[in-house]
Amino acid sequence: MEINAKQRKFLEKNAQPLNALVQIGGAGVTEEQIKQISRLLGEHELIKIKFNEFKEEKRDLSNEITEKTEATFVRLIGNVLILYRPAKEAEDRKFEKELNKLAK
C-alpha cells in the first residue's frame, strides 16, 4: 500500500505514544520474529520495532521486514521502525476511515 505525506503524518502521530513491541537484537531478523511482527500487525495494525543491534543495517533490515510482512513502511526514526498493515476484517480497521479522507 502506498501512502502519501498526509497519511504518513497521521500514522506517525498515532504511533508516537506506542511502545516498541519487537526489538531486533544480536540474532538479527529471524523467521520467528517475522511471524511475530506479522501477528502483531494483524492485532494492532500500527506497530513500532526497535533496533538494539544492527543499527548500521537498519534501513536494509526495515525493507526486508516490510516486504516479508506485507506491511507499509511508515517511517524509520532513529532506531525505531514504524509499520502499518490494515486489519484483514474491515470492521477491525482502526485507521482506514481517516486514511481514506487523507488520500484525497
Side-chain angles (χ1 to χ4, degrees), residues 7 11 14-16 19 22 24-26 29 41 50 53 59 72-73 76 78-79 82 85 97 99 103:
Q7 292 169 315
L11 290 171
N14 281 278
Q16 188 176 9
N19 292 320
V22 179
I24 306 299
V29 179
L41 280 165
K50 184 168 173 57
E53 303 285 333
R59 186 150 309 278
T72 300
F73 176 92
L76 182 61
N79 295 315
I82 303 170
R85 187 177 74 197
K97 190 183 242 182
L99 287 173

Side-chain angles (χ1 to χ4, degrees), residues 46-61:
L46 187 65
I47 66 167
K48 286 181 173 178
I49 300 168
K50 184 168 173 57
F51 289 93
N52 291 333
E53 303 285 333
F54 297 97
K55 292 177 181 174
E56 302 302 314
E57 299 93 355
K58 65 187 172 193
R59 186 150 309 278
D60 291 335
L61 291 173

Side-chain angles (χ1 to χ4, degrees), residues 33-45:
Q33 280 182 312
I34 294 294
K35 288 177 189 171
Q36 179 188 16
I37 292 166
S38 191
R39 182 181 54 76
L40 289 167
L41 280 165
E43 293 172 8
H44 300 280
E45 292 187 295

Side-chain angles (χ1 to χ4, degrees), residues 84-99:
Y84 168 73
R85 187 177 74 197
K88 287 194 189 311
E89 301 299 323
E91 65 269 7
D92 295 335
R93 295 180 187 154
K94 302 173 200 147
F95 305 105
E96 184 177 52
K97 190 183 242 182
E98 190 62 31
L99 287 173

